[in-house]
């Protein structure tokens, strides 16, 4: 069973996943849901499919933290991510929106594991990101790291890298 909010034609997903042997595909053809809403739908699918004792291989893809990373995505200005270097308003917005999306994904993953722990059947959960954030996001993050590294203050002297969480 494969479940994704995106379009079936994109990346030829419909054909590719069928070719890999996945018989049941659910695409919502571009509906964009929060990770929380996605989890609600996923749990309903799992409960419906396992009610008759069906064993499942489920591959589910969320897209809440997919680009774009601007405040319009959530309809509000989000909390600022604390950093030790000055940021342009555009970079601050991008970083804040991306970090908020990570937080939502993390909360959804916790809720998913808590739900799976209530099931009587064993499960194996594999969670991964299928791509890096858009180049513009990475470029802005790397500029933050470079700016901090070049500053001769003790507070920034230990910044050697940035960790990008991929969801």
């Amino acid at each position: 069973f494969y479940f994704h909010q995106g379009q079936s034609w994109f990346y030829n997903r419909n054909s590719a996943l069928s070719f890999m042997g996945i018989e049941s595909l659910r695409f919502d053809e571009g509906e964009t849901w929060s990770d929380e809403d996605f989890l609600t739908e996923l749990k309903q699918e799992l409960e419906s499919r396992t009610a008759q004792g069906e064993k499942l291989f489920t591959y589910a893809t969320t897209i809440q933290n997919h680009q774009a990373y601007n405040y319009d995505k959530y309809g509000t200005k989000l909390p600022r991510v604390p950093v030790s270097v000055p940021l342009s308003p555009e970079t601050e917005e991008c970083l804040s929106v991306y970090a908020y999306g990570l937080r939502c994904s993390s909360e959804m993953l916790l809720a998913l594991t808590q739900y799976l722990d209530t099931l009587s059947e064993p499960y194996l959960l594999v969670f991964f990101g299928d791509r890096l954030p858009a180049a513009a996001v990475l470029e802005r993050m790397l500029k933050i790291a470079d700016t901090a590294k070049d500053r001769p203050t003790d507070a920034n002297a230990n910044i050697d890298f940035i960790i990008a969480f991929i969801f």
Side-chain angles (χ1 to χ4, degrees):
F1 164 60
Y2 179 75
F3 177 31
H4 186 16
Q5 300 145 295
Q7 289 100 2
S8 57
W9 59 265
F10 200 70
Y11 293 129
N12 201 19
R13 288 181 181 119
N14 200 21
S15 296
L17 293 163
S18 294
F19 181 76
M20 293 184 335
I22 299 175
E23 296 173 359
S24 180
L25 306 170
R26 176 180 168 186
F27 295 96
D28 287 332
E29 304 303 336
E31 290 292 320
T32 303
W33 305 333
S34 68
D35 279 349
E36 181 180 16
D37 291 340
F38 183 83
L39 179 58
T40 299
E41 288 288 318
L42 178 61
K43 289 190 312 190
Q44 289 173 359
E45 285 283 353
L46 294 175
E47 288 166 8
S48 170
R49 291 169 182 273
T50 59
Q52 304 302 318
E54 181 182 351
K55 303 291 184 193
L56 287 179
F57 168 82
T58 303
Y59 182 177
T61 305
T62 70
I63 58 174
Q64 177 179 331
N65 206 24
H66 194 280
Q67 62 190 30
Y69 300 110
N70 54 47
Y71 291 133
D72 291 342
K73 181 175 187 169
Y74 295 108
T76 186
K77 187 173 181 177
L78 299 168
R80 184 179 180 279
V81 175
V83 295
S84 58
V85 295
L87 301 177
S88 70
E90 296 82 18
T91 301
E92 182 177 312
E93 177 177 4
C94 181
L95 185 60
S96 295
V97 173
Y98 182 69
Y100 179 78
L102 286 177
R103 178 178 158 199
C104 293
S105 294
S106 177
E107 289 170 353
M108 185 274 299
L109 182 57
L110 175 62
L112 174 60
T113 58
Q114 290 170 338
Y115 165 74
L116 293 173
D117 283 342
T118 68
L119 302 179
S120 60
E121 293 291 324
Y123 65 88
L124 171 65
L125 174 65
V126 178
F127 184 78
F128 63 93
D130 69 344
R131 70 187 81 172
L132 290 170
V137 175
L138 289 176
E139 180 183 350
R140 287 181 181 148
M141 289 182 184
L142 293 174
K143 282 183 180 177
I144 294 167
D146 284 344
T147 301
K149 242 178 145 174
D150 293 339
R151 291 179 63 200
T153 64
D154 290 337
N156 299 317
N158 294 325
I159 298 177
D160 294 323
F161 59 89
I162 245 182
I163 299 171
F165 292 94
I166 306 163
F167 285 89

